[in-house]
Every structure is written in structure tokens, then in C-alpha cells.
Amino acid sequence: MTAFEQAVKTLKRNGYKTTGKRQRILEVLYKNNKYMTAKEVQDRLKKMFPGISPDTIYRNLHTFVELSVVEQTELNGEKLFRSNCETHGHHHHFICTECGNSEELDMCPLEQLQEQLPGCEVTAHRFELFGRCSNCLAS
């Protein structure tokens, strides 16, 4: 079963209808496999759904994040979304600020940082690197 098919199955299992719009939003994210803004997703869907509203896009993206079928991050105050990675387990990303492509990082600095927080309990964290990928630097 592909990651896209698994995402659709997760929607159904959680009581969500798999409408054409929901499937197309997921398709855009899973086919592009990079971080995208809600506006970029909307632009890719305009031909098929000319009247699709930003609210519809945001509402579905946030539902997908809650169901863990889509990942979300933030850059310069704007939320970015992408399909879930094929990598299972804890990992982080380098995200290209020019093209949106990402590279998975298999190390996490939390272990070293926890040593500096004696007596504290970290309940959540996020670690991402932003910059320009080798393809964007070459062009």
C-alpha cells in the first residue's frame, strides 16, 4: 500500500469522507513530496476546482495534520505542509527556502540539549534547518 493510499485509509478509519477535494489535496502533497504553502496547493487545484476557497484548503490541511497524514512546519510566520515522510520514527529536515524540497536528517540534537536542562522534562520539540539546496545553489 502506498503512503497516499495509507493516508486515504486513515481518513476513512477516522470517520472522514474521502471527497474529491480531499483526495486531490493529498495527491498534490504526495506527488510533489516537498513543503508547500496552502496557497501553492490551492493554485495547483484551481483548474479542477475553480471555486475552491482558501478556507477549504486550510481546514483540510489542518485535519490532515491532526490525523498525522501530513507534516507541518512554519517559516517566516507562514505554515508549510508536505506529505508524511516514508521514514518511520523520529527524524528532522533540512528545507530549501527556494524550492521547498527537503532532506531528512537522521540525527536529533535533543539528547545533547537535555543535558543542559537538569530537572526539566521536554514534552515536545521541533528541529529544522532552512537554507538553499544544492540544486538551487547551482542555478
Side-chain angles (χ1 to χ4, degrees), residues 35 73 75 92-97 101-103 105 107 109 126-132:
Y35 279 96
T73 192
L75 176 64
H92 299 283
H93 295 107
F94 166 82
I95 303 163
C96 180
T97 56
N101 287 331
S102 64
E103 298 285 331
L105 306 173
M107 73 80 65
R126 207 172 70 188
F127 177 75
E128 292 150 334
L129 297 173
F130 296 93
R132 293 176 62 207

Side-chain angles (χ1 to χ4, degrees), residues 52-64:
I52 194 164
S53 72
D55 287 343
T56 298
I57 302 291
Y58 274 109
R59 187 172 50 255
N60 281 292
L61 288 172
H62 289 290
T63 297
F64 299 158

